[in-house]
Amino acid sequence: MDPITRPVSINGLRIGGADFMVIAGPCSIESRETFAVTAQSVAAHGAGMLRGGIFKIRTNPSSFQGLGRAAFEIVRSVRAQTGLPVVSELTDPRQIPELFDIVDMFQIGTRNMHNTVLLREVGASRKPVLLKRGFSATVEEWLLAAEYVADSGNPNVVLCERGIRTFERITRNTLDLAAVAYIKQNSRFPVLVDPSHGTGVRNLIAPMCRASAAVGADGLLLEVHCAPHQALSDADQALSLRDFAQIMRELEPLLPLFGRRLARPLRPSALSHEPVPSSTI
Ligand code: PEP
Ligand code: MN
């Protein structure tokens, strides 16, 4: 299938093997209730990991910037309730120690792909890293950014194609699925696709999910919100809980055609940094 990919383990789950990993959740964590409701629903419909922005990096400084530290306790409890590992973006090396025990994977966003200081610091941390493609980065620059992390001692890098900036305006970005096929043939790093930012258009996400599986992607990163029109960030691309369930229903039977099956999450007790309930000691 893809003999050169080196899978990355996240708390016992693998990205890059026969399993197809779907990571889902809101663009930003906005409240305990919206995150918990969304997380429980995506978990019930086949997500293997959760996403949720804590420190948001927004184009407009007046836009919602995320809950920051106020989200830590929310993430802890939702992670424990669902048993799913969590990925969240960090925007500054000073967040590494703060987030280290809160999330299972660090995300480097599109705006920071060229930030070599941050790449080296997350490399030194050894925590798995989801490295998004810079919106104007060539594939070669993106792969070299991954090498920065690996060269700093952390081979646990998963790439994420999230669309690039072109002249096209009907979509927010141009989703480069040829880059995904290229990476599967030429790089050891697993690669996910983010059709949420890659299109910015809710109705285009389902077909791009199917196309991503067909070109050999190792999984998907999807923005889902329990009340999409009220989302504080990226409302136009937020899938409803029902949209997500429908995408998963359509996708799962297709995966065996491409030699894959849906990644199955572990039980909550398998998550390493949750305290073990005293009744089980
Ligand atoms: C995100 O996934 O939360 C995000 C901000 O994406 P990107 O960095 O690709 O814009
Ligand atoms: Mn977003």
Side-chain angles (χ1 to χ4, degrees):
M1 186 180 42
D2 49 76
I4 62 171
T5 303
R6 186 187 169 282
V8 169
S9 278
I10 297 134
N11 278 319
L13 281 175
R14 281 195 340 158
I15 301 183
D19 289 352
F20 188 84
M21 171 61 76
V22 177
I23 307 177
C27 177
S28 306
I29 295 171
E30 300 168 1
S31 69
R32 182 180 299 274
E33 201 201 347
T34 56
F35 190 48
V37 168
T38 304
Q40 274 153 12
S41 180
V42 297
H45 291 98
M49 285 180 63
L50 299 176
R51 63 150 291 141
I54 295 172
F55 297 106
K56 292 304 293 181
I57 184 162
R58 306 297 303 282
T59 304
N60 184 335
S62 317
S63 302
F64 177 59
Q65 305 283 307
L67 293 181
R69 290 186 193 94
F72 288 2
E73 192 42 48
I74 299 174
V75 174
R76 264 197 209 100
S77 72
V78 171
R79 181 180 179 279
Q81 277 162 20
T82 58
L84 299 193
V86 176
V87 59
S88 196
E89 179 172 357
L90 46 69
T91 54
D92 183 318
R94 289 171 292 188
Q95 292 157 358
I96 293 174
E98 290 192 296
L99 279 177
F100 197 87
D101 289 329
I102 305 292
V103 303
D104 302 278
M105 185 179 209
F106 290 144
Q107 179 171 319
I108 304 274
T110 194
R111 294 166 182 79
N112 270 315
M113 189 215 82
H114 293 285
N115 183 340
T116 53
V117 174
L118 191 57
L119 296 171
R120 284 218 180 272
E121 293 284 336
V122 296
S125 82
R126 310 282 170 99
K127 176 83 96 185
V129 176
L130 185 63
L131 178 62
K132 292 199 140 193
R133 180 178 182 179
F135 54 73
S136 296
T138 64
V139 172
E140 189 184 13
E141 288 166 336
W142 184 22
L143 292 174
L144 288 171
E147 296 296 350
Y148 259 92
V149 180
D151 184 60
S152 309
N154 189 351
N156 305 309
V157 184
V158 176
L159 301 167
C160 181
E161 163 61 35
R162 50 79 69 207
I164 50 175
R165 184 168 284 181
T166 69
F167 53 81
E168 184 51 67
R169 286 290 161 264
I170 57 164
T171 47
R172 181 178 179 187
N173 291 289
T174 295
L175 190 63
D176 185 3
L177 293 183
V180 176
Y182 176 88
I183 284 164
K184 294 312 299 176
Q185 292 172 19
N186 294 283
S187 167
R188 68 190 186 284
F189 299 113
V191 59
L192 305 184
V193 175
D194 170 359
S196 304
H197 294 90
T199 66
V201 181
R202 187 177 295 115
N203 291 342
L204 297 180
I205 295 172
M208 291 302 100
C209 289
R210 297 193 289 270
S212 301
V215 297
D218 296 299
L220 296 164
L221 182 71
L222 293 173
E223 289 192 343
V224 182
H225 196 287
C226 57
H229 298 288
Q230 289 163 27
L232 297 182
S233 54
D234 288 350
D236 291 346
Q237 67 197 36
L239 297 169
S240 67
L241 304 182
R242 187 192 290 242
D243 295 334
F244 178 77
Q246 175 72 18
I247 285 175
M248 295 301 277
R249 260 195 303 277
E250 288 171 5
L251 193 63
E252 195 171 358
L254 297 180
L255 295 177
L257 297 175
F258 312 117
R260 306 280 186 151
R261 59 178 183 244
L262 206 56
R264 290 285 167 206
L266 301 171
R267 287 171 298 108
S269 58
L271 291 177
S272 61
H273 55 261
E274 274 314 310
V276 179
S278 52
S279 59
T280 65
I281 294 175

